[in-house]
Amino acid sequence: MSDVVSVEDTTSLEPRDGGGRRSRRGAEGGDRRRRRRRVVRWSASVLTLALAGTATAGYLYYEHLNGNIKKESLNIGDAKDRATKAKANAAGQTPLNILLIGSDARDTAENQKLGGARDIGTAARADVQMLLHVSADRTNMSVVSMPRDTLVDIPRCTDAKTGKVYAATDDTMTNASLERGGPGCTVATWEKLTGIHIDHFMMVDFSGVVSMADAIGGVPVCVDANIYSHTSTGHGSGLKLKKGTTSVKGKQALQWLRTRYGFEDGSDIARTKAQHMYMNSMVRRLRSNATLSNPDKLLGLAETATKALTVDTGLGSVTKLYDLSKELKKVPTDRITMTTMPFVYSSDGNRVLPKPTDAAKLWRLVREDVALDGKDKKKTTTATTQVTDKAAADDRIAVQVQNGTESGTGSAVTGRAAAVTELLVGKDFTKAAADTSAPLSEDRTLVRYPSADLAGDAQRVAKVLGIPTGQVKKSTAVDGVTLVVGADWRSGSKYTADDDTTPESANALNAADTTACMHVDPDYTW
């Protein structure tokens, strides 16, 4: 998150010309030259670089920044596990999903020292994972964190550099995905779990966090008591702060982001909450230009940000990062919402699992581009299609019932189609029959019908069960009236239409909230 926002606020170019293309070859070449000249002007004019006194020097600096950025493959999982990209809205806009990864790599002496490890070269893990979702209309942004202790199914991944194949695993800590071929496996894991198509990733390690925090000039954080994250056995981040608000940077900022012992219940969940507070405060800091009014500091931040980043190949240039920053900059601070994946503890209490109903709902909201702050303008209800076909008597309507309760956060409910079929028969739909084929995966319960002459029958089934007419769909994929029992109706005999409110268990925090303060465990005060 820090890197995304940093790049965003270190650019102040005017928008590029959006006119129509001429000949494809000439126009694209001209566009590239104009884009390059603008980035050169960024180097020469905005940052007032001494070395950029000529166009050649500006070009060389542009190439230098590009060379700083490390690049890896976006998704190294199997193609069958890829999530479908969201369809464009009426204005032709699509949402943007970026996975932010914090690596605990000990691949250098600096990272080893900062991470407290004894050995250099131990496999890196994805200890911080945040999905940043920018709405299609760019009016709001949602961030969902997944605790590193979450048990997930990691798909088969193939290392793009070595060709090594990592077999799929079940019930594995999500942070292990990074060591199975790189960030592209973490992306694949998220897509398999959530069904959300991820467009890009951005990754930073320990030293990157420290250098970025120094370049920003400090981020204000708050604790409600003096804290010292340290135990008699040597555990803890070493964070030591006085009660109230302190501007942290460098190593102290890293300690804040890594602190678990001393915050609230000492869990990874509390650490995630502290990370959200830090990110929100950093956004406010950067957007106020408190540290970026000086061109030299701006230059330092640009240099630091490009060195700190590892991104997917589709995002691997200053120009592309600039394009991304323009999109992020459109979202007001008070429309940025931080959340944590709803969870339940595992049977042994040491790990967490996605909370079946709430986590599935949160993923659906993101997939459907619903703002998590609840401030979306109410969508006008689509007019119900006029049905000229009159419904047959209930006992004459043949209904096939399918089990669609499988989801990324839970397996299908065994026997669900049979249970709902029994419910329909009890309501005089005596021709209802359960489909015994493999379960499907549908977020919402649907009633499908193949042709206009069965529309009345389909709507009659929906009305009896309390299913909204908006969930009655014409579909060539079915032969007759078909009820698909979705993940929103995993149990019970009464269907309750799902709403679009963010689950309370997601612990939403708005980026404009300046009152947030971490609670300190009394055992860690001084």
Side-chain angles (χ1 to χ4, degrees):
M1 179 72 175
S2 57
D3 304 308
V4 176
V5 181
S6 302
V7 175
E8 163 191 308
D9 284 83
T10 59
T11 57
S12 55
L13 299 176
E14 294 182 359
R16 289 192 297 277
D17 181 70
R21 296 185 177 181
R22 297 179 296 278
S23 71
R24 181 173 179 180
R25 196 170 193 177
E28 289 183 352
D31 287 344
R32 284 194 295 269
R33 287 191 292 273
R34 282 192 293 274
R35 287 156 69 90
R36 181 169 291 171
R37 283 197 296 270
R38 288 189 176 102
V39 178
V40 170
R41 287 199 296 273
W42 172 40
S43 302
S45 302
V46 180
L47 300 181
T48 63
L49 300 178
L51 62 84
T54 67
T56 300
Y59 169 77
L60 290 175
Y61 189 71
Y62 164 75
E63 291 298 311
H64 164 74
L65 290 177
N66 277 339
N68 285 344
I69 304 169
K70 298 176 285 294
K71 298 172 280 291
E72 293 202 27
S73 299
L74 173 62
N75 190 315
I76 59 174
D78 288 343
K80 64 180 177 64
D81 292 321
R82 289 304 308 268
T84 303
K85 189 174 179 64
K87 295 180 180 179
N89 62 14
Q93 303 164 303
T94 54
L96 187 61
N97 295 306
I98 306 164
L99 187 62
L100 310 178
I101 303 171
S103 162
D104 72 349
R106 272 81 167 183
D107 52 355
T108 66
E110 184 179 8
N111 276 332
Q112 178 197 17
K113 182 179 179 180
L114 291 169
R118 296 181 179 179
D119 301 319
I120 294 178
T122 54
R125 293 164 297 187
D127 271 6
V128 177
Q129 298 175 38
M130 298 182 180
L131 179 65
L132 185 154
H133 171 86
V134 188
S135 66
D137 60 9
R138 306 305 189 248
T139 62
N140 66 86
M141 184 188 302
S142 302
V143 179
V144 184
S145 289
M146 185 190 301
R148 69 166 190 171
D149 294 340
T150 305
L151 296 179
V152 297
D153 295 342
I154 300 178
R156 180 178 182 268
C157 292
T158 303
D159 191 316
K161 295 177 180 177
T162 67
K164 181 176 179 179
V165 176
Y166 295 85
T169 66
D170 299 332
D171 294 329
T172 304
M173 276 180 58
T174 185
N175 68 345
S177 59
L178 185 60
E179 62 188 2
R180 301 170 62 79
C185 193
T186 305
V187 169
T189 301
W190 271 78
E191 288 202 358
K192 182 177 176 63
L193 173 67
T194 67
I196 299 167
H197 176 86
I198 294 174
D199 301 285
H200 299 291
F201 73 78
M202 306 181 82
M203 183 171 71
V204 65
D205 58 16
F206 291 149
S207 60
V209 170
V210 170
S211 61
M212 284 297 303
D214 280 338
I216 292 169
V219 173
V221 295
C222 176
V223 288
D224 66 1
N226 294 348
I227 181 174
Y228 182 34
S229 178
H230 181 75
T231 70
S232 59
T233 56
H235 291 96
S237 70
L239 179 70
K240 191 171 186 179
L241 295 176
K242 291 183 178 180
K243 177 181 178 180
T245 300
T246 304
S247 183
V248 296
K249 62 180 181 178
K251 183 177 179 180
Q252 199 172 42
L254 178 65
Q255 289 173 334
W256 175 275
L257 293 169
R258 298 191 69 210
T259 293
R260 187 171 64 173
Y261 295 99
F263 282 158
E264 299 190 348
D265 61 357
S267 70
D268 193 49
I269 310 303
R271 171 162 51 191
T272 297
K273 183 177 179 180
Q275 291 167 355
H276 290 170
M277 289 185 187
Y278 179 92
M279 299 303 177
N280 284 344
S281 183
M282 184 192 62
V283 170
R284 297 192 299 269
R285 177 87 166 171
L286 286 167
R287 290 189 169 185
S288 69
N289 291 319
T291 61
L292 301 178
S293 57
N294 185 309
D296 290 335
K297 290 183 179 180
L298 199 60
L299 168 60
L301 187 52
E303 183 77 23
T304 300
T306 52
K307 282 184 177 179
L309 284 173
T310 299
V311 301
D312 64 277
T313 52
L315 202 58
S317 73
V318 173
T319 304
K320 290 174 181 176
L321 288 171
Y322 160 65
D323 289 342
L324 172 61
S325 76
K326 286 202 307 177
E327 297 304 301
L328 299 177
K329 202 168 187 177
K330 295 174 183 177
V331 181
T333 303
D334 63 358
R335 295 300 311 279
I336 300 174
T337 306
M338 298 276 180
T339 62
T340 300
M341 178 198 75
F343 68 92
V344 293
Y345 284 103
S346 60
S347 56
D348 61 6
N350 293 323
R351 300 288 181 263
V352 300
L353 299 164
K355 188 174 183 178
T357 302
D358 286 4
K361 181 179 183 181
L362 191 63
W363 303 141
R364 177 184 66 78
L365 294 177
V366 174
R367 280 195 303 272
E368 296 181 2
D369 200 23
V370 177
L372 299 187
D373 61 5
K375 297 178 183 177
D376 264 348
K377 292 181 180 178
K378 295 296 182 183
K379 298 182 176 104
T380 54
T381 304
T382 303
T384 304
T385 303
Q386 292 298 318
V387 178
T388 56
D389 173 65
K390 187 176 180 180
D394 293 349
D395 61 358
R396 300 290 301 256
I397 299 175
V399 186
Q400 185 179 51
V401 183
Q402 296 179 332
N403 185 347
T405 57
E406 185 175 23
S407 69
T409 55
S411 57
V413 178
T414 303
R416 189 61 184 149
V420 176
T421 298
E422 186 177 345
L423 173 66
L424 277 170
V425 170
K427 294 180 179 292
D428 293 331
F429 288 87
T430 54
K431 287 192 173 183
D435 186 344
T436 58
S437 57
L440 306 174
S441 178
E442 288 289 345
D443 290 330
R444 297 197 189 200
T445 296
L446 301 171
V447 181
R448 292 175 170 151
Y449 63 96
S451 55
D453 60 315
L454 291 176
D457 291 355
Q459 290 201 3
R460 172 60 185 166
V461 171
K463 182 178 181 179
V464 168
L465 294 176
I467 299 170
T469 56
Q471 291 165 229
V472 180
K473 306 285 186 181
K474 185 177 180 180
S475 172
T476 57
V478 296
D479 296 325
V481 176
T482 303
L483 169 64
V484 185
V485 184
D488 61 345
W489 197 15
R490 293 174 62 87
S491 62
S493 59
K494 180 177 175 56
Y495 178 75
T496 302
D498 204 358
D499 59 29
D500 286 343
T501 57
T502 301
E504 288 188 16
S505 54
N507 295 316
L509 179 66
N510 189 276
D513 184 353
T514 60
T515 65
C517 198
M518 283 303 295
H519 175 62
V520 176
D521 182 337
D523 291 338
Y524 290 86
T525 58
W526 56 278

